Amino acid sequence: MKSAYKCLFDRHKLVVAVATTSLILSGCALEGDDGQKGEPGNQGRDGTPAFSPATLFVASNSSTDRAVRVRNETFGLLNTYETGGNEGIVVSSAGAIIQADDSGTNGRIITACNAFDRKTSGHSYAISGTNTGLVNPKGVETIPNLGLTLVANNGQSNILIFGSAASGDVAPFATLGLTNDAWDLTYDGKTDTLFVALVDGSVAVFDRFAENEGQGGITRLFWIEDADGEVSVNLHGIDYDAVTDSLVVSDVGQASSADDGKLYVLQNASSIPSGTVKAATTWKGSETRLGNPVDLQITGTDVRIAEKANAGGAVLVYRNIFEAAGGNVAPDVIYDTPAPESIAVVPEQPSLVGATDVVNPQLPYQLLATSNPAPGSRTSGAIFSVDRNVAQLETVFDTTQDSIENITLDRQGTAYVNFNNAVNGPGIAVFGAIVERDEADPQLDRIIQGDNTQLISPKGIELADDLGVLIVSDTGTQSILAFSACAAGNATPIEIDTGGIAPWDSDYAPSVDTLFVALTNGTIAAYDQFSQTLGAGGPSRTIEPANTVNFHGIRYDQTSDTLIVTDVGSAQDNSDGAILTIPQASNVSGPAAVGKRVTSPTGPLAAPNSSTLGNPVDIAFDGKDLFVAEKANDGIQVYRDFLTDPSINGVNAPTDTIAATKPESLILSIKR
């Protein structure tokens, strides 16, 4: 349906959850596991061509089959599961599958983690209930940089817009009125245009969509005429190609007919006026096998079509669609599959990096910081932005929570912020696209909170992006609490044993599949093969540097196989902090050599001073420069070329610093 990103995690790798856990890790199905043939079905006129590597998600929708099948580019089966939905799908850059469901009394929008490797029993959250206004949701589209999910709400002639992090019976953030029912929609961020396929044969266009989330109404409305003068009847699938400025749209004709479908290519889509437009190319006729082409997606110059009705269902592939002549021509490739309702194609490409796994300092980013002074103070619920030169600090988002602690981000910019509210207790707030917003909104966001969460005093928070696991260091339970990234409400985590020692922060390193946990007794717990065990049985090894007291912030650098960790020393002393490096972190166990140990001048004249290391509670690392949240002395520090500059060792001042009130947490916010 829409373009997305391939997760870093190998789609063929088995990820086995511990049998006693309730989290969402699961193994990929092998080819043929669902009773289907793993190899392609019928071949078109040119046989089976070589497709670019990709992962295909094909959602079936019949009375007996509502599975999502995950396949490779040649249709080999990788996995099969159900999300609970039955209509349109899209796969996010954070590795979740979002699916519409119209099978119940009210419609739902389901977000399920681990799109590539999940099981049917995997965790998910849903927007559902009478307040949502959902009736018969069909196509789904996401706009990650705005934190929005758009739904074609068939039966109500509107588009409903929800927050991508929202859960439960929430009202839509906005409603877009249409001239008829919609079936599918696609958004292009470069031109800021939303295209909507309507079942009366028209295309509704919202130009300059992001300016007001479409509240200005439809800017263009047009029908499609083929070479024979026949006008479009019942549009369903739609996708936009920015390279050629083309729309590809499918027409199912009469839903009761299995052989009257059409496929159109429209040129100059960004400037088509209202009225009737002549299709540049049309495919129709008995050879096309187009009957009810309910969904489609463009990948390069190929289009894959979910054909639901003709001969029981198939995915049809036409190649070079912007140069082909069209007509009554058979697809280049046909893959038989039961009643396909929707398709999402995720091209294989360089993986997006997680916020704590950055090794390239050239990535464009800003830093986000939290502050944790006394509850009720001006900055207790604020998130700040800090430029990479630490020259400017400004408030960008109000969480509306007292005593927020740490922040992390998923790959599409959704923020997970834990808090310890004096009135309502501890929890985790989830906010979509915080850099585009001013404050929390219950319609757009969700909360993880309640007795089942076991949260007492949450500190560090980390995302294992490709595992869909949210990792919280809780000093109150003296353990690591692992939640699904799709958790909502009173969710139950997996408790990971730290040997009865309170953890403060953690960093999951996918390159070595190890979770490193900074413990408050000055040691580091390492959980190897974390994707397979989720830390069951306790640490695989303990790293014990000499002369350490109370570890807090921790980051792993995969380029040098080095851990960077901060020691706050005594929490009451504002000049005894240190930053240490531990080489060969993927293998070291027991007593460990320290590479660098950076400290500040001690004594009564050394502090308070924002350049002094007293309580360095958190760090961020971009592969070159190290940023430090120095809480006791109210500053954010940066050490340039931290690992490679030999002069940064021993008693040393930071390269730059900026005053900041009681900074608690730092994270790199990468500009996608």
Side-chain angles (χ1 to χ4, degrees), residues 463-480:
L463 264 173
D465 299 271
D466 297 303
L467 308 182
V469 177
L470 183 67
I471 301 161
V472 180
S473 301
D474 193 285
T475 59
T477 61
Q478 297 188 330
S479 63
I480 295 291

Side-chain angles (χ1 to χ4, degrees), residues 165-183:
S167 176
D169 190 8
V170 295
F173 169 71
T175 301
L176 308 183
L178 301 171
T179 56
N180 212 300
D181 281 337
W183 195 275

Side-chain angles (χ1 to χ4, degrees), residues 252-616:
V252 306
Q254 298 299 318
S256 58
S257 174
D259 58 7
D260 65 342
K262 298 181 183 180
L263 180 71
Y264 308 107
V265 173
L266 307 177
Q267 297 175 343
N268 304 313
S270 61
S271 58
I272 295 173
S274 293
T276 301
V277 60
K278 203 83 168 180
T281 316
T282 302
W283 284 262
K284 65 177 182 178
S286 58
E287 294 297 317
T288 68
R289 198 169 160 176
L290 292 167
N292 283 11
V294 291
D295 195 22
L296 60 87
Q297 184 172 330
I298 306 166
T299 308
T301 60
D302 300 336
V303 62
R304 292 177 172 91
I305 305 158
E307 167 51 51
K308 188 174 181 181
N310 198 314
V315 170
L316 315 177
V317 187
Y318 281 103
R319 312 209 74 188
N320 300 315
I321 57 168
F322 303 120
E323 298 178 4
N328 187 13
V329 178
D332 292 287
V333 187
I334 299 173
Y335 298 113
D336 289 321
T337 195
E341 184 69 42
S342 187
I343 184 169
V345 182
V346 181
E348 190 170 281
Q349 55 189 327
S351 302
L352 296 177
V353 67
T356 60
D357 304 316
V358 177
V359 295
N360 179 11
Q362 301 305 314
L363 286 173
Y365 68 84
Q366 63 179 333
L367 290 110
L368 297 181
T370 64
S371 173
N372 188 5
S377 63
R378 183 181 64 82
T379 59
S380 65
I383 295 172
F384 303 88
S385 70
V386 188
D387 69 296
R388 62 195 302 164
N389 295 319
V390 293
Q392 185 175 5
L393 180 78
E394 60 180 347
T395 303
V396 293
F397 190 80
D398 183 3
T399 67
T400 70
Q401 296 286 346
D402 277 338
S403 296
I404 63 173
E405 296 284 347
N406 279 239
I407 180 173
T408 195
L409 301 167
D410 73 11
R411 286 176 173 152
Q412 66 177 21
T414 298
Y416 293 78
V417 181
N418 54 23
F419 58 86
N420 201 352
N421 191 297
V423 177
N424 298 321
I428 304 165
V430 188
F431 308 105
I434 62 171
V435 295
E436 299 294 331
R437 299 165 52 195
D438 296 323
E439 63 181 3
D441 185 335
Q443 280 185 280
L444 301 176
D445 310 313
R446 71 183 189 276
I447 300 290
I448 303 167
Q449 190 175 40
D451 292 342
N452 290 345
T453 68
Q454 303 178 42
L455 293 167
I456 297 176
S457 184
K459 299 299 181 183
I461 188 166
E462 162 74 336
L463 264 173
D465 299 271
D466 297 303
L467 308 182
V469 177
L470 183 67
I471 301 161
V472 180
S473 301
D474 193 285
T475 59
T477 61
Q478 297 188 330
S479 63
I480 295 291
L481 301 176
F483 296 86
S484 165
C486 282
N490 194 13
T492 301
I494 295 170
E495 186 172 0
I496 300 174
D497 181 33
T498 59
I501 303 167
W504 193 276
D505 196 15
S506 68
D507 189 20
Y508 173 67
S511 60
V512 293
D513 193 18
T514 299
L515 176 69
F516 295 100
V517 179
L519 302 176
T520 55
N521 69 343
T523 65
I524 297 165
Y527 300 81
D528 297 320
Q529 298 182 316
F530 183 75
S531 67
Q532 299 183 42
T533 67
L534 285 185
S540 309
R541 50 198 169 94
T542 301
I543 303 170
E544 303 168 351
N547 302 316
T548 54
V549 179
N550 187 355
F551 283 158
H552 273 44
I554 188 168
R555 289 292 180 269
Y556 174 75
D557 176 54
Q558 68 182 45
T559 302
S560 61
D561 190 23
T562 299
L563 276 174
I564 308 171
V565 61
T566 64
D567 189 344
V568 304
S570 169
Q572 286 72 45
D573 190 327
N574 59 1
S575 63
D576 68 340
I579 307 169
L580 296 82
T581 63
I582 301 169
Q584 300 178 333
S586 62
N587 297 305
V588 67
S589 182
V594 173
K596 296 187 177 205
R597 187 189 300 266
V598 179
T599 60
S600 295
T602 59
L605 298 179
N609 182 329
S610 59
S611 294
T612 299
L613 285 169
N615 285 7

Side-chain angles (χ1 to χ4, degrees), residues 184-188 191 193-197 203-207 220 222 238 240 245 247 269-270:
D184 196 16
L185 65 171
T186 188
Y187 174 74
D188 177 59
T191 60
T193 306
L194 177 68
F195 298 95
V196 185
V203 175
V205 184
F206 294 81
D207 295 305
R220 294 180 280 145
F222 57 83
I238 187 168
Y240 175 74
D245 189 24
L247 270 181
S270 61

